[in-house]
Amino acid sequence: MSKKRRQSASSSSSEESAQLAAVSIDLDELPTPTQIPRMDRAEDAINPTKDQDHVVECSLPPTCNNRPSHFYSTLEFEKHYASNHSLSCFACGKIFPVQRLLDLHFTEVHDPFVYLRRERGDKTFACFVEGCDKLCRTPKTRRLHLIDKHAYPKDYLFSIVTSGIRPGQTSLLKQHG
């Protein structure tokens, strides 16, 4: 037999009272303390043993949906999430190191209105540096602006706006060789 409890509150608003009265909790469906997963010792999260199960499994796109990643601590998962999922384009899944580059990517690659303005000859390629209002007609002129005015290195990966970064990529300089 299922035990149910209804919540009610004395409120001046009859609408709020009606909403609260409609909330019911089925006490048999709540997990028991033995069903709730937990880490018994803090050092287990830092130094897991081989036979210990992972704490978190990530299967988020774009990097983990085909091959889930496993983490033995929430800190390890948080680092992974920040570098692989928090700044990814929802339209194509490409990953960016900073919000500014993700915003520029979406505008320049996925916005059909920007494409039409570009076709009309408008300047649509914005400077990478926040606070700089410079707009250019081509990626090449933006590249020259970044090198001349903001001292970007010539071997910087200027195509990052269209290409994004690969998971685990640690440098924004072109790889020679």
Side-chain angles (χ1 to χ4, degrees):
M1 183 178 291
S2 175
K3 302 174 237 171
K4 288 195 175 186
R5 182 186 332 166
R6 289 210 177 267
Q7 287 184 337
S8 63
S10 59
S11 173
S12 60
S13 168
S14 60
E15 186 178 308
E16 256 183 59
S17 297
Q19 288 175 346
L20 287 174
V23 174
S24 69
I25 300 171
D26 187 349
L27 297 177
D28 289 336
E29 291 180 12
L30 293 175
T32 64
T34 57
Q35 294 172 323
I36 299 171
R38 65 186 176 94
M39 297 296 289
D40 287 330
R41 299 181 325 193
E43 61 266 16
D44 288 342
I46 298 166
N47 301 312
T49 60
K50 288 183 180 180
D51 60 339
Q52 179 182 359
D53 288 335
H54 58 273
V55 176
V56 180
E57 179 179 89
C58 178
S59 58
L60 295 170
T63 56
C64 301
N65 53 331
N66 293 328
R67 201 169 116 213
S69 299
H70 302 277
F71 302 95
Y72 296 96
S73 72
T74 52
L75 179 62
E76 195 179 327
F77 170 71
E78 287 171 2
K79 287 180 185 177
H80 163 79
Y81 184 87
S83 64
N84 291 286
H85 302 294
S86 64
L87 292 174
S88 62
C89 177
F90 71 88
C92 66
K94 292 182 178 167
I95 302 167
F96 297 88
V98 293
Q99 184 67 46
R100 171 78 174 164
L101 292 175
L102 173 59
D103 294 342
L104 290 175
H105 164 78
F106 188 80
T107 301
E108 294 176 15
V109 176
H110 301 294
D111 189 338
F113 295 110
V114 170
Y115 178 78
L116 293 173
R117 288 181 33 227
R118 192 176 301 137
E119 289 291 310
R120 206 172 53 195
D122 291 353
K123 296 178 179 181
T124 60
F125 295 96
C127 180
F128 291 176
V129 178
E130 288 192 53
C132 180
D133 297 330
K134 176 76 173 172
L135 290 173
C136 302
R137 279 198 176 82
T138 67
K140 182 180 179 179
T141 55
R142 172 173 57 196
R143 179 181 156 275
L144 294 172
H145 164 76
L146 287 164
I147 292 168
D148 294 341
K149 303 297 183 217
H150 301 293
Y152 270 59
K154 290 181 181 181
D155 58 348
Y156 184 83
L157 188 63
F158 293 100
S159 63
I160 191 163
V161 172
T162 54
S163 65
I165 58 172
R166 295 179 315 278
Q169 182 176 345
T170 58
S171 174
L172 294 179
L173 299 179
K174 291 181 184 175
Q175 300 301 316
H176 302 288

